[in-house]
Amino acid sequence: MSRPLTAPLAPFVDALPVPRRLVAAEHEGRLTVRMRPGTHRFHRDLPESTIWGYDGTVPGPTIEAERGQPVTVEWRNELDGPLPVVVTVAPHAADADGVSVQCVPGLSGGTADPNAPALAGHTVVHLHGGLTPAVYDGWAENLFAPGQAAVFRYPMDQRAALLWYHDHVMGVTKLDVYAGLAALWVVRDDRERDLGLPEGPPFEVPLLIQDRNFDLDEQGRLIGRLVHKTDPEVMEAFPPFTVVNGKVWPVLDVQPATYRLRAINGSNARTYRLVLLRDGAPDLERITQIGTDHGLVRTPAPVPADGLLLAPAERADLLVDFSDLAPGSELTVLNTAAAPFDGSRFPAADAESAADVEGLLPYPELLRFRVAGEAARRRSIPRELATDYEPPAARALAGARRRAIALVERELDDEPNMLTMRELAVAADGDEDGPLVTVTDGDETTRYRVVAAHFEDRTTFFPVLDEYEVWQLINLTDDTHPIHLHLDPFQILARHPISHEIPEGGVENRDLVATITLERDPNDALSHGIDDNERGLKDTIRVNPKEIVEIAVRFTTYSGRYMYHCHILEHEDRDMMRPFVTMPATLMPFMA
Ligand SMILES: [Cu+2]
């Protein structure tokens, strides 16, 4: 814990904006969204920033769709360069005062990457969480140049949920999203309507949480220019200013009533642990989580005692009861998660002292609620929410194909580390020579070989449609990675603590040598538990250090080439992404 910094911007002075709603049914399901440069003011006291946005705004319009009513979007690329973000790697991790450079504005002595302004604005749109045919899923290499347009058809044959759409260009997703190319997409259905949940303003409020940094002029004053800054020790950007729906540290006036907050972490890399404070003390009991990535959970869940964790791309559907509060009451949402996030605990009761410059969290502030008005409108929370899914039965998983993926960090000289996913295949009997990954569970040891390491390596995952698979995500790094699968949602089965050893030089370009044991490492302080609110239909799951996360996934409906990846954008851009191809069962005998 280091001394706090003085914020160069006043918190809680801008009203929380609510993005414009674009209701598909009002346009007969046919929408046109233009990707355009625009200007945006991130804070009252900041000059305008140039951004790239859907319809030229930050965030872009929230698209609202009905289950079973297809939506066709013409995505028109009307960008023109240069990219409105200065990209730099500061020469040192800390400045002359010993302050982590990522916590302060400006370039911190870094030079602007000359390749960034040359980016002319190629784009591809991915609807995160969409059950989308492969041709419309936004493959990271199928790009549209300025002046070109793509017409994507989204069947919307999926349950109500908060999705989001964002840019997904190979290698520069981190820059395009940072420039502003991200927005929300809500799917609604009758089940939710039957429950009488708030829908639309004023009681349903989306919260797109991101972090941003800005440049300084020669006098050291903040200007609006967006800065993506990393440093020699941290290859992810953890900017100091938290932005909700496009404003730094906004305030929302609420009536004494029940609100439905649809929260999503749209940051490049930062994980948030949200704590609601009232008069300096945690007030988490007034929050009930009713939904997760792919919509309603089966029963309402309390927020974990430490606060609500949201890694990049994770969503939470929350009911917050303000009905007992007198006008003038103020509640503040703080973030207590240091960065890079490694799963460490932080008690909610200490939230007011969460500022941590070494932990790249100079300003824990996120959002304030201010109660105004008299009429109390409290809603009761249904005890049963979703009824359309069950945890997968042991019987259904008994014969399931199992896949293993190791998450590894490869250290490189003179350039940032590579975060990669190593797809593992069980080694044949007698196959002893060369690098092996072993996983020991009690008396049983399984030996694996790496069969794929980079995005462009050959595809090794061919899931058969409608068949359950169990994927093991084995984290051999020191940080938490939010792993996202495109297409269908999945359910978490287990978090197993592990100990592991990687010998010197064990992580090579393709090879990996590692000894993994399913046992708790004596130095491991993490719980490796599954939070109640993780037991829903997920598309992004946190994989903490020293653990294996097991998920059950069953792809349905669409055959084709999709991707899975870490949703830390700096990681997916730096090779922590792999393809998979879903296939109908009847085709498998004909696959060479
Ligand atoms: Cu990652």
Side-chain angles (χ1 to χ4, degrees):
M1 206 73 44
S2 45
R3 70 194 155 76
L5 294 180
T6 306
L9 293 169
F12 314 130
V13 293
D14 286 293
L16 176 80
V18 174
R20 181 171 73 90
R21 296 167 79 199
L22 190 50
V23 181
E26 294 172 4
H27 301 269
E28 293 167 339
R30 304 191 65 85
L31 304 175
T32 300
V33 176
R34 296 173 170 82
M35 291 164 262
R36 293 195 285 112
T39 55
H40 177 78
R41 198 180 293 277
F42 283 93
H43 186 276
R44 182 192 70 182
D45 299 329
L46 271 176
E48 283 190 326
S49 303
T50 303
I51 53 90
W52 281 355
Y54 296 106
D55 279 352
T57 63
V58 166
T62 299
I63 293 174
E64 296 199 19
E66 284 289 322
R67 179 176 195 162
Q69 295 182 16
V71 177
T72 301
V73 184
E74 182 178 355
W75 302 106
R76 283 200 199 164
N77 186 339
E78 297 179 1
L79 295 172
D80 50 40
L83 176 85
V85 179
V86 184
V87 180
T88 195
V89 184
H92 304 288
D95 66 15
D97 299 324
V99 175
S100 303
V101 294
Q102 294 223 29
C103 293
V104 297
L107 303 191
S108 299
T111 50
D113 182 341
N115 293 318
L119 290 168
H122 286 81
T123 62
V124 62
V125 184
H126 169 58
L127 176 59
H128 181 124
L131 271 173
T132 308
V135 285
Y136 306 129
D137 193 52
W139 182 260
E141 294 167 314
N142 294 349
L143 308 185
F144 295 87
Q148 298 175 343
V151 180
F152 282 6
R153 190 170 185 277
Y154 301 96
M156 289 293 104
D157 187 8
Q158 61 184 95
R159 64 205 300 271
L162 174 66
L163 318 182
W164 62 311
Y165 59 101
H166 62 76
D167 188 81
H168 213 313
V169 171
M170 199 75 196
V172 296
T173 295
K174 60 179 182 279
L175 303 180
D176 286 354
V177 170
Y178 198 85
L181 290 169
L184 307 177
W185 181 305
V186 180
V187 186
R188 303 197 184 277
D189 66 14
D190 291 339
R191 172 62 184 169
E192 280 195 2
R193 293 223 173 81
D194 288 348
L195 295 173
L197 300 168
E199 179 178 322
F203 296 114
E204 184 190 40
V205 181
L207 302 174
L208 174 62
I209 305 166
Q210 299 176 305
D211 50 4
R212 292 292 181 270
N213 203 352
F214 306 98
D215 208 352
L216 299 169
D217 67 12
E218 284 170 6
Q219 282 75 44
R221 291 173 303 206
L222 271 171
I223 57 174
R225 189 157 53 221
L226 286 164
V227 169
H228 181 282
K229 178 170 56 180
T230 56
D231 68 67
E233 291 175 15
V234 181
M235 56 84 82
E236 308 87 6
F238 292 107
F241 303 108
T242 307
V243 170
V244 188
N245 296 349
K247 289 288 180 192
V248 177
W249 307 320
V251 57
L252 176 66
D253 286 334
V254 294
Q255 300 171 42
T258 303
Y259 277 70
R260 181 184 188 190
L261 305 180
R262 315 288 303 263
I264 169 168
N265 181 352
S267 303
N268 278 27
R270 187 181 295 275
T271 291
Y272 299 86
R273 180 171 33 219
L274 306 180
V275 176
L276 183 68
L277 284 190
R278 182 175 165 228
D279 300 329
D283 198 8
L284 294 169
E285 295 75 25
R286 63 177 75 244
I287 310 177
T288 304
Q289 184 162 352
I290 58 169
T292 182
D293 302 350
H294 272 250
L296 294 176
V297 292
R298 290 168 55 81
T299 52
V303 170
D306 283 356
L308 176 73
L309 276 170
L310 283 180
E314 284 193 299
R315 286 91 80 197
D317 195 347
L318 307 167
L319 291 179
V320 187
D321 183 0
F322 299 109
S323 64
D324 61 312
L325 297 173
S329 303
E330 287 185 337
L331 298 94
T332 306
V333 181
L334 297 184
N335 167 31
T336 67
F341 184 69
D342 62 3
S344 298
R345 294 194 54 194
F346 191 94
D350 299 340
E352 281 199 312
S353 55
D356 179 358
V357 173
E358 280 150 36
L360 307 183
L361 179 64
Y363 314 116
E365 290 78 8
L366 201 126
L367 170 68
R368 174 162 288 171
F369 301 105
R370 202 165 47 199
V371 180
E374 301 291 334
R377 215 172 321 172
R378 185 160 186 272
R379 286 172 201 256
S380 59
I381 297 170
R383 275 192 289 182
E384 186 180 62
L385 298 165
T387 54
D388 61 338
Y389 75 94
E390 303 266 347
R395 175 170 34 85
L397 299 179
R401 177 181 286 277
R402 299 178 74 82
R403 303 189 190 275
I405 303 119
L407 315 179
V408 297
E409 179 160 354
R410 181 171 161 236
E411 314 243 340
L412 294 171
D413 297 333
D414 306 324
E415 57 177 317
N417 293 345
M418 297 284 284
L419 276 300
T420 69
M421 305 204 287
R422 304 295 169 91
E423 291 175 359
L424 306 176
V426 176
D429 284 340
D431 176 8
E432 300 288 348
D433 298 330
L436 277 170
V437 176
T438 64
V439 178
T440 300
D441 182 5
D443 300 335
E444 203 175 307
T445 295
T446 311
R447 300 171 315 121
Y448 293 97
R449 293 253 183 243
V450 172
V451 290
H454 302 295
F455 183 74
E456 305 292 0
D457 286 352
R458 72 180 177 89
T459 306
T460 75
F461 286 5
F462 293 89
V464 174
L465 289 181
D466 300 317
E467 291 183 7
Y468 263 116
E469 304 204 336
V470 175
W471 291 23
Q472 288 193 314
L473 303 160
I474 308 167
N475 191 347
L476 304 179
T477 78
D478 296 330
D479 299 322
T480 298
H481 300 271
I483 301 299
H484 169 50
L485 274 57
H486 286 212
L487 198 59
D488 288 79
F490 54 79
Q491 293 189 65
I492 185 167
L493 299 173
R495 280 203 166 95
H496 300 294
I498 55 170
S499 64
H500 58 83
E501 268 181 61
I502 299 176
E504 186 71 35
V507 183
E508 287 295 332
N509 182 31
R510 278 199 165 67
D511 292 333
L512 173 64
V513 181
T515 311
I516 300 158
T517 309
L518 273 83
E519 64 180 15
R520 177 174 280 278
D521 184 305
N523 300 317
D524 182 3
L526 303 188
S527 80
H528 303 289
I530 300 172
D531 291 340
D532 288 341
N533 55 25
E534 290 183 294
R535 294 186 188 277
L537 296 176
K538 297 281 291 172
D539 61 39
T540 306
I541 193 77
R542 295 186 300 274
V543 186
N544 297 303
K546 295 190 172 65
E547 76 183 21
I548 295 177
V549 171
E550 274 185 5
I551 60 171
V553 62
R554 182 171 51 176
F555 296 101
T556 62
T557 320
Y558 300 114
S559 303
R561 184 165 292 265
Y562 293 90
M563 301 181 290
Y564 72 101
H565 56 88
C566 179
H567 220 290
I568 292 176
L569 303 184
E570 286 82 356
H571 292 186
E572 74 173 83
D573 282 345
R574 191 103 175 104
D575 222 24
M576 208 170 193
M577 182 158 80
R578 284 284 301 156
F580 64 88
V581 175
T582 54
M583 301 289 289
T586 49
L587 229 64
M588 294 310 282
F590 298 91
M591 290 287 289

